[in-house]
Amino acid sequence: MHEVKLGLHTFGDITLNDDGTRTSDAQTIRNIVDEAVLGDELGLAYFGVGEHHRHEFAVSSPEIVLAAAASRTRNIHLGTAVTVLSSDDPVRAYERFATLDAVSGGRAEAIVGRGSFTESFPLFGYDLRDYEVLFEEKLDLFARLRDERPVTWEGTTRAALADADVYPKTENGFPVWVGVGGTPASVVRTARYGFNLMLAIIGGAPARFRPFVDLYHRSLEEFGRDRLPIGVHSPGHIADTDEQAWEELYPAMEANRNAIGAERGWPPYSRLQFQHDVGPDGALFAGSPETVARKIAAAVRVLDVDRFDLKYANGTMPHAMLMRSIELYGTTVAPMVQDLLRDA
């Protein structure tokens, strides 16, 4: 097996202080920058920050947070997880990434998607009834902007462009991924535009996503494109033992899932569901370094992917706990995964 790149994702979850009080949004953002710095020091490949517009999360402008991280890091690639392109302006989004690429010395990456929350649509004046067409049209425009040449474009969701240019220009462009939750049409569309594929595996066994990997490869071939990278995004947490990791993660996971589930009509989260999720057929990569490394290696093997990004922040887990998880991920899990893949 080829060597897989390992990265980190956070949605900027508001955490708790040691005394149980809520960490401020501002301190949460400063903590995220420190987490990115640690990831860089440990030699991890990628640090992604999600975009949200609700009280559980501190980050609504990830590129600004990433620019701060760029000033304190040297090698780690920096990007989003994801940019909600449907409620953004593709021109402004592209220019923000080009700016981030400049200040980071060519380390910017974009993961764009429709997002799993809808608060940004009314906030920025979009109608949820246009959910599909907003993403389709804006992804089309974003794809055209990659050439960094004047663009002529017309659609129904924003003003037309006639020979319009974008600035600043990048030195070498930047990688663009599309976050996909598991629909064939999204996979085919990603291949059609020539974007990298990021599979959001947040439920069920990773193996069930293999048909989407195969579909992506077939679609790239049919569109006359070369092989492009595939990545996986999944939540998890690492501690010294399985039991410690599960006891640290479960209360925050339960509270987070139940709060969001109350809005969406989900049943209450339970210990039984949690134990399934951390098992071999679940999408939670939580446990001791060896447990997590073996589960990552198994997912990489069955899916034949190029990158695995651990969503290490899940609910109100304290900053120190997250830093320890990142430390174990970089020092122990990452080399163990590579060893397991080489020995396969």
Side-chain angles (χ1 to χ4, degrees), residues 201 203-208 273 275-285 295:
I201 302 180
R208 72 185 182 90
Q273 180 63 51
Q275 288 307 135
H276 173 270
D277 291 344
V278 299
D281 293 327
L284 266 181
F285 289 72
K295 191 167 182 178

Side-chain angles (χ1 to χ4, degrees), residues 19 22 26 34 57 103 114 122 154 167 200 214-215 222 229 245 290 303 329 338:
D19 61 1
R22 175 186 166 102
D34 289 341
F57 307 106
V103 299
R114 287 179 284 196
E154 186 173 354
Y167 304 96
D214 295 336
L215 175 61
E222 290 171 5
E290 181 176 359
L303 296 175
Y329 185 60
Q338 308 300 356

Side-chain angles (χ1 to χ4, degrees), residues 237-242 285-298 328-329 332-334 336-337 340:
H237 176 63
I238 308 160
D240 293 305
T241 67
D242 288 345
F285 289 72
S288 68
E290 181 176 359
T291 295
V292 173
R294 290 190 178 281
K295 191 167 182 178
I296 291 173
L328 290 170
Y329 185 60
T332 308
V333 173
M336 193 178 294
V337 168
L340 289 166

Side-chain angles (χ1 to χ4, degrees), residues 34-147:
D34 289 341
E35 291 154 13
V37 171
L38 179 58
D40 182 57
E41 292 171 349
L42 296 171
L44 295 170
Y46 182 79
F47 190 85
V49 180
E51 171 199 348
H52 292 84
H53 304 270
R54 48 186 293 141
H55 68 93
E56 295 99 339
F57 307 106
V59 180
S60 57
S61 301
E63 296 90 351
I64 296 177
V65 179
L66 293 163
S71 70
R72 295 180 53 197
T73 56
R74 298 178 56 120
N75 298 307
I76 197 167
H77 281 219
L78 303 163
T80 47
V82 299
T83 293
V84 185
L85 193 62
S86 304
S87 57
D88 207 337
D89 181 81
V91 175
R92 293 294 294 132
Y94 197 90
E95 291 180 339
R96 294 197 308 269
F97 280 110
T99 303
L100 175 64
D101 197 61
V103 299
S104 66
R107 292 184 282 134
E109 299 192 19
I111 304 178
V112 300
R114 287 179 284 196
S116 58
F117 294 88
T118 59
E119 288 80 9
S120 62
F121 288 81
L123 188 63
F124 299 122
Y126 293 102
D127 192 329
L128 274 171
R129 289 175 294 184
D130 298 327
Y131 187 79
E132 294 294 338
V133 69
L134 280 166
F135 187 67
E136 179 65 59
E137 288 193 0
K138 292 189 177 191
L139 189 67
D140 179 68
L141 177 53
F142 198 81
R144 298 190 192 199
L145 294 168
R146 279 191 305 175
D147 294 333

